[in-house]
Amino acid sequence: MMKKIFWPLLLGLLLFTFAGCSSETSTTSVITPDSIRERGVLRVGVKLDVPNFGFEDPDTGQMEGMEVDLGRKLAEKITGSEKNVEFVGVTAKTRGPLLDNGEVDLVIATFTITEDRRKSFHFTPPYYTDEVGFLVRKEDGFTDLASLDKQVIGVAQSATTKQSIEAQGEPDNLTFEFLEFGPYPMLKLALTSKRIAAFSGDKSILTGYVDDETEILDIGFAPQQYGVTSSLGNTELAEVLDNAVNEFIQDGTMEELLSKWNIQNVTEEDD
């Protein structure tokens, strides 16, 4: 699969990253459920490069994944039809700015809930819990965090991964070097070309980049809860999103979406 999608996806994401970061569009008005209905479409920021969560098929151009399906469910809740949705590709670096300038109404993009981020954005109750892991080359023989001591770790720009790794290694005096990249295919390329010793991120993300030469280490830490994200000023929209996510959790809709895409929540027993 990786050979088929890797280069087209990498090129597309590079073009998107430069275009998205240079956008001059700015919207300061409050976004409400009514304004979305008047517009006729819900604009949802999703990942383009995370199979099973948010992924753009390079052959069809269609968006697919659990978070994409959740976006359709929210569009149906707000506008009356799941067809009234427009997906906008985001990365860990661009999703916040796109919310800030109003180019998207909400983001469903493996966005980890943290207390610091709550100062800038509203998060719904978590719809999924993951944990930090490592994708490595099989030939290198890495087995655990200690074996990565003093190695170069690749992480996504603006993600919380670097801080989680440093905190996990601190009790054992482990130190690491870090290289930050934009789209995840660039991290995979850096791993393949041996620029980095490990590609680190949430395990759900890493599973989309495993091939015959790589493996995900059998360790995990720093649970990462994902929430649907909106701007702080959009209080009416935030209330609708909170209620919808709670409803989807309680009526089994969320479990159906996770099951459809073969995604399992991390639990305390898994840690």
Side-chain angles (χ1 to χ4, degrees), residues 56-68:
E56 183 178 32
D57 188 311
D59 294 328
T60 66
Q62 295 299 307
M63 298 299 301
E64 60 183 39
M66 187 275 287
E67 292 181 326
V68 172

Side-chain angles (χ1 to χ4, degrees), residues 228-250:
V228 179
T229 317
S230 57
S231 294
L232 283 179
N234 301 330
T235 54
E236 290 184 32
L237 177 59
E239 183 178 357
V240 170
L241 295 175
D242 285 351
N243 291 338
V245 169
N246 276 325
E247 178 184 326
F248 294 158
I249 292 172
Q250 293 169 8

Side-chain angles (χ1 to χ4, degrees), residues 142-163:
F142 296 121
T143 56
D144 54 18
L145 190 63
S147 67
L148 289 167
D149 186 31
K150 297 181 175 58
Q151 297 294 324
V152 180
I153 311 296
V155 298
Q157 293 173 339
S158 302
T160 58
T161 311
K162 176 182 175 181
Q163 294 90 331

